Amino acid sequence: MENMSSDPPVRLEHLDREGDGRRFSPSAGRNQQHIVDALVELLPESGVGLEVASGTGEHAVLAATRLPRWRWTPSERDEDALASIEAWVRHAHLSNLAPPLRLDLRDPWPFDPESLDAVFASNVMHISPIETTEALLKRAAKHLKRGASLLIYGPVFLPDVPRPAGNRAFDHDLRAQDPTYGVREFAAIAAIAARVGLSAPAVRSMPADNVILQFKQP
């Protein structure tokens, strides 16, 4: 499968930066508490988790803080993001937060099959080609333990639900930027999950017309 490492990173917002190298995402500042609250409710008390496309690293620090019995590993493919995550890891001093992995979702993951208790991705599907979502679900299906979860946060067009105006406008803007981007249809994602052996996704509503999709490894 084609490697995406040479693709430019997608940034939809300005990232502030501290002198120690940490970057701050305005959207992460708004949504990270809601996201991690959901992770705490949806995940067991302990386990080994991989966060893919971790961005600045802010979600990873909060997740590791709120899930102290988890071993949480952030990852990224973008060098600037990796530097920010490394700075956040140094700043947090959390024994259960691992240094970030350099990871392209389409490349093989450096984990044994059925070795992860959770995989988490935030705001990935709509700012990448659909092949990236396919790779994410395929790799997660390979590396999750039986009964473990893949959790994906972001905007999704749900069946039998009116499409929010904000998400429709966002989808239009994304496709104008790159025709391979866009808010994904629930049915298309569920079809990919079925092909790779994951359960149909359960939907948890989140603020600002976002959702968390939870897929299980049967």
Side-chain angles (χ1 to χ4, degrees), residues 144-158:
L144 285 171
K145 297 177 182 177
R146 301 298 176 183
S149 294
L150 166 64
L151 301 159
I152 302 180
Y153 168 86
V156 175
F157 288 136
L158 300 174

Side-chain angles (χ1 to χ4, degrees), residues 151-174:
L151 301 159
I152 302 180
Y153 168 86
V156 175
F157 288 136
L158 300 174
D160 303 320
V161 176
R163 297 185 174 190
N167 282 354
R168 285 189 278 113
F170 188 35
D171 178 65
H172 180 271
D173 291 344
L174 288 169

Side-chain angles (χ1 to χ4, degrees), residues 105-147:
L105 290 177
R106 293 190 179 186
D107 291 341
W109 293 6
F111 298 93
D112 293 331
E114 299 184 24
S115 63
L116 297 173
D117 297 288
V119 175
F120 170 64
S122 174
N123 291 321
V124 172
M125 294 192 296
H126 57 285
I127 54 172
S128 60
I130 191 63
E131 290 81 8
T132 299
T133 296
E134 292 173 347
L136 170 58
L137 269 67
K138 181 179 179 180
R139 302 294 188 201
K142 176 180 178 180
H143 294 287
L144 285 171
K145 297 177 182 177
R146 301 298 176 183

